[in-house]
Amino acid sequence: MSPAYTAVTDTISILVVDDTRRNLVTLAGMLEEPGLKVVSVGSARQAMRRLLKEEFAAILLDVHMPDMDGFETASLIRQRPLSQHTPILFLTANAVETELTKAYALGAVDYMPTPVQPAVLKAKVAVFADLHRKRLEVRRQAQLLRDAEARLRHQAAHALRESEGRFQVLCTAAPVAIFQLDAGGRCVHANPVWHAATGGAPGTASGFGWADVVSDSHGDQTRAAWQAAVDKGEPWSCEFRYASQGETRWVHVRTSPIASDTGRTIGHVGTAEDITARKVTEARLLDAERRKDEFLAMLAHELRNPLAAISSAVTVARTPHLEREHGWSIDVIGRHVRHLERLIDDLMDVSRITLGKIEMRRERLDLVVVLARAADAVRAPMAERHQQLDLALPAAPLWADADPIRLEQVFVNLLGNASKYSHDGGRIWFSALLVPAGLEVHVRDEGIGLDQTMAERVFDLFAQAQTGLDRAQGGLGVGLSLAQRLTEAHGGTIRVHSEGLGHGAEFVVTLPLAEPVAPDAIPLAVAAPTGATPPALRTVLLVDDNVDATRALALLLSQAGFAVVTADDGGEALVRASQMRPDIVLLDLGLPVVDGYRVAETLRAQPGGEVPLVIAISGYGQPEDRQRSQAVGFDHHLVKPIDCAALIALMRSDVRTHLALGI
């Protein structure tokens, strides 16, 4: 048991006041027992002095004393706070009715005539002693509660100071802006990051200043919106922007209530996060979405134009009495089919480069030759528009390790772009010169030019300087992006400069050079053997579910001297192959019933399956498609639409090889 509780069992004091010593001794003897202390005094004055220093459970007071009687003494006792409620028992040898009334009026608890009965007196005093003990116990318990409450308050205050200290440290070290509001919305703290994140000067967040900072000085509106959210018990947030060092910064501000143990809101904590990067990304995504929609519209336009011409040419060819225009119809169809091929090739090239799947077939080559070929490729379309191409290329060879086809594609795109955006009769300059970084190639025109915004994004995919309804220049906006990516794949750079709209544009490509090639290292062309008579060609199995394409190709192959048998699906192809044992199988991949991969795999697994020359003819032309076709046994993989002359040449050369080897 703690000392505080042990104190309850301490001795209880009883004050006895009588001017007769014999009575004092008698009363002390009556009351003597463990735990009870009798304090005897012979006068009222002595009693008052003891009452100033000590608290008593009860007072036994003689009524008749010489200097001050018991009633006067009782009146003084009741005036002192310490003894105001102490029980008083009057003792008298001459009990009269008037004294009895007066005694009770002074707050006496009993009026006893003397001599008193010891047992009665002891019983009454014991009751008051027990009540006093209980009163002391209640008082001590109350003190314990007060002490415990004080300790809890002290601990809570200490914990609060520690928590606030940790909060301050956390706020100071946090990478995001943190601020704290009281229940009324006044800012009581903002960490150092707040000022950097919001653009506000130090101290501007104090009080209601935070609301002005996040609302461009419209603090009343912000506080009203904040209070509305608080009234609903919801978090509050807003976004705002400000200018910093010439650029726009975006900030997201959010506050949440701080609740007490009882659920009462005692404040709010808020954060301010710089979301500029997110806003920029969102803007880019929206721009990409817009450009995608524009691209789809451009693609539809670019596909419909040649398809419309092809459709019209077919209609002309079918119309009676227009037989003389058949040649024109065929020429139109061929020209626009080639245009569609170029569109699809550009899209596929961009896709391969973006996915990192484009194959660069590098070889040691003369860049001057590549540039000359690119110039030759665009002369005819430039001549149709009466445009002049000024060529200034080095006379000596300049060697590089590059893919000749891809590099020529870069300069054909740049020259074609210069022609497209130049007026009829315009002039285009194509030149090259040596610089420390390698070879610098310039393509300059005097066409429509570029404004600053377009110059910054001219190499973006699907970006075009003109997107008007007439779309006079046409194209999908992939040529310059493709040129940039192919140039970078060769270790080079490409840049553009324009003085503005109406002042033309100049593209500059820089390519690294390689060491010159020794004359004896240049491979010589190998002459094809002459005089060999190819063996008779056998049958061709042509398998495609496109009936029109199958019939057209079959007619061309028959005209070239091949015996052609056709099939419309993979199941029929396997049956025909087992019946005729063809020398060549031309096989589409996307076949019904059994796809082309399984057909080729089944053919190769059969006895004598190594004999046919198997060529894939498909619209699937990704590297993984080619790898898969090779894995199942295809000898070649051609992508639709195919060059029929090239196909026939391939079939003849490879069939000779197969037959010569006796396969």
Side-chain angles (χ1 to χ4, degrees):
M1 183 177 291
S2 67
Y5 286 94
T6 304
V8 177
T9 63
D10 291 347
T11 300
I12 301 299
S13 298
I14 302 295
L15 179 63
V16 180
V17 185
D18 199 312
D19 61 331
T20 305
R21 183 168 180 76
R22 180 169 51 85
N23 291 342
L24 292 175
V25 174
T26 300
L27 291 171
M30 288 182 187
L31 299 175
E32 185 178 1
E33 66 174 38
L36 193 65
K37 172 187 173 184
V38 178
V39 177
S40 301
V41 296
S43 66
R45 296 183 184 280
Q46 292 177 354
M48 297 308 296
R49 283 195 294 269
R50 295 305 296 260
L51 285 170
L52 290 173
K53 300 183 290 183
E54 192 172 352
E55 186 178 8
F56 295 93
I59 302 173
L60 278 62
L61 184 60
D62 183 20
V63 174
H64 300 288
M65 292 184 294
D67 56 344
M68 186 185 297
D69 65 19
F71 297 120
E72 292 176 312
T73 304
S75 178
L76 291 174
I77 289 172
R78 288 291 181 245
Q79 294 176 21
R80 297 179 182 273
L82 190 61
S83 58
Q84 187 177 10
H85 300 291
T86 303
I88 299 175
L89 289 82
F90 282 105
L91 301 176
T92 182
N94 300 311
V96 294
E97 186 68 27
T98 56
E99 290 182 348
L100 179 64
T101 302
K102 188 176 181 179
Y104 283 121
L106 290 171
V109 297
D110 207 346
Y111 190 87
M112 302 178 66
T114 59
V116 297
Q117 294 293 326
V120 173
L121 180 61
K122 289 181 67 174
K124 290 185 177 182
V125 169
V127 169
F128 294 124
D130 186 56
L131 288 174
H132 187 66
R133 286 190 181 94
K134 291 180 178 177
R135 187 165 58 250
L136 290 177
E137 173 68 18
V138 171
R139 188 183 301 167
R140 289 180 178 116
Q141 290 290 345
Q143 185 61 44
L144 286 173
L145 288 174
R146 286 193 293 273
D147 292 344
E149 183 180 4
R151 285 195 302 273
L152 288 175
R153 288 181 181 276
H154 176 75
Q155 292 172 359
H158 181 69
L160 179 60
R161 286 192 298 272
E162 286 188 340
S163 176
E164 289 178 345
R166 287 193 297 270
F167 177 75
Q168 299 285 348
V169 172
L170 176 63
C171 287
T172 302
V176 297
I178 299 175
F179 62 104
Q180 187 177 359
L181 310 178
D182 63 16
R186 296 174 182 83
C187 181
V188 296
H189 175 74
N191 71 344
V193 183
W194 161 270
H195 308 296
T198 61
T204 53
S206 299
F208 293 118
W210 68 272
D212 290 325
V213 171
V214 305
S215 60
D216 194 20
S217 299
H218 294 83
D220 293 341
Q221 299 175 12
T222 299
R223 288 199 301 275
W226 175 82
Q227 190 62 54
V230 170
D231 293 341
K232 295 178 182 178
E234 300 173 348
W236 173 84
S237 66
C238 77
E239 293 180 357
F240 75 97
R241 59 184 176 180
Y242 68 94
S244 174
Q245 298 179 351
E247 65 174 342
T248 300
R249 309 295 301 178
W250 280 91
V251 181
H252 178 261
V253 182
R254 176 185 176 90
T255 67
S256 297
I258 304 172
S260 66
D261 294 339
T262 61
R264 183 173 61 89
T265 298
I266 59 176
H268 304 265
V269 64
T271 59
E273 180 185 3
D274 190 314
I275 57 169
T276 305
R278 191 190 80 191
K279 283 291 187 180
V280 171
T281 301
E282 289 175 354
R284 288 175 178 171
L285 289 174
L286 289 174
D287 184 61
E289 183 72 14
R290 177 187 58 78
R291 286 163 54 192
K292 183 199 73 175
D293 292 340
E294 290 178 355
F295 163 71
L296 291 176
M298 286 189 294
L299 179 61
H301 178 276
E302 292 301 313
L303 291 178
R304 287 192 181 108
N305 273 351
L307 289 176
I310 292 171
S311 176
S312 298
V314 170
T315 302
V316 168
R318 289 177 173 174
T319 301
H321 313 301
L322 291 180
E323 291 82 358
R324 66 184 182 281
E325 301 295 340
H326 281 188
W328 173 86
S329 299
I330 293 171
D331 180 62
V332 168
I333 292 171
R335 186 167 64 253
H336 286 282
V337 165
R338 288 192 296 274
H339 177 62
L340 289 173
E341 288 178 5
R342 286 194 299 272
L343 289 178
I344 294 171
D345 287 343
D346 281 350
L347 288 175
M348 295 305 297
D349 282 343
V350 169
S351 174
R352 293 187 191 104
I353 292 176
T354 302
L355 297 175
K357 294 183 177 181
I358 194 165
E359 182 181 357
M360 304 296 292
R361 300 180 180 178
R362 296 177 182 270
E363 61 182 62
R364 184 62 59 90
L365 52 79
D366 181 2
L367 286 177
V368 178
V369 173
V370 173
L371 298 177
R373 287 176 180 169
D376 290 340
V378 298
R379 287 188 189 278
M382 286 185 180
E384 291 178 1
R385 299 186 60 192
H386 307 290
Q387 293 171 339
Q388 179 181 343
L389 177 61
D390 288 351
L391 197 62
L393 301 179
L398 295 173
W399 301 99
D401 291 321
D403 184 325
I405 302 299
R406 296 301 183 184
L407 211 52
E408 181 179 335
Q409 186 178 0
V410 169
F411 296 108
V412 168
N413 279 348
L414 293 178
L415 290 167
N417 194 73
S419 173
K420 180 191 301 185
Y421 291 101
S422 291
H423 305 293
D424 290 354
R427 190 175 181 183
I428 298 166
W429 291 265
F430 187 33
S431 60
L433 66 154
L434 287 172
V435 295
L439 183 66
E440 193 171 87
V441 183
H442 295 249
V443 178
R444 182 165 62 90
D445 63 68
E446 52 185 10
I448 65 173
L450 300 168
D451 60 24
Q452 182 62 32
T453 301
M454 192 60 207
E456 291 175 356
R457 55 184 293 264
V458 71
F459 294 110
D460 291 350
L461 195 57
F462 311 132
Q464 287 194 316
Q466 177 179 340
T467 56
L469 186 62
D470 60 344
R471 290 202 41 78
Q473 280 75 29
L476 297 176
V478 301
L480 292 178
S481 177
L482 188 58
Q484 181 192 47
R485 300 181 190 201
L486 289 174
T487 299
E488 292 174 350
H490 282 86
T493 61
I494 184 171
R495 65 183 189 274
V496 64
H497 172 73
S498 176
E499 295 294 336
L501 294 176
H503 295 282
E506 182 175 20
F507 289 84
V508 181
V509 176
T510 304
L511 293 169
L513 296 176
E515 294 297 327
V517 177
D520 56 357
I522 302 175
L524 299 177
V526 179
T530 58
T533 303
L537 300 182
R538 300 180 184 178
T539 55
V540 174
L541 175 59
L542 174 58
V543 188
D544 198 324
D545 58 335
N546 188 324
V547 177
D548 292 335
T550 301
R551 183 170 183 274
L553 184 55
L555 289 172
L556 292 171
L557 294 177
S558 298
Q559 183 68 25
F562 293 95
V564 182
V565 175
T566 63
D568 297 332
D569 60 61
E572 183 183 358
L574 291 173
V575 172
R576 293 291 178 88
S578 64
Q579 295 172 346
M580 60 183 288
R581 301 184 66 81
D583 297 302
I584 305 172
V585 179
L586 303 179
L587 190 57
D588 185 25
L589 296 179
L591 293 171
V593 184
V594 181
D595 65 45
Y597 293 112
R598 290 178 57 192
V599 171
E601 196 171 22
T602 303
L603 288 176
R604 292 302 192 201
Q606 293 175 350
E610 70 279 6
V611 171
L613 173 68
V614 184
I615 301 175
I617 300 179
S618 175
Y620 298 105
Q622 295 293 333
E624 54 267 28
D625 301 320
R626 296 178 184 275
Q627 293 169 4
R628 185 180 176 189
S629 65
Q630 184 180 9
V632 299
F634 282 95
D635 296 296
H636 299 282
H637 188 121
L638 304 181
V639 179
K640 295 178 180 179
I642 61 172
D643 184 330
C644 292
L647 172 63
I648 292 171
L650 175 64
M651 291 167 61
R652 285 175 174 166
S653 62
D654 263 15
V655 167
R656 283 198 206 94
T657 303
H658 272 59
L659 296 177
L661 294 175
I663 299 177

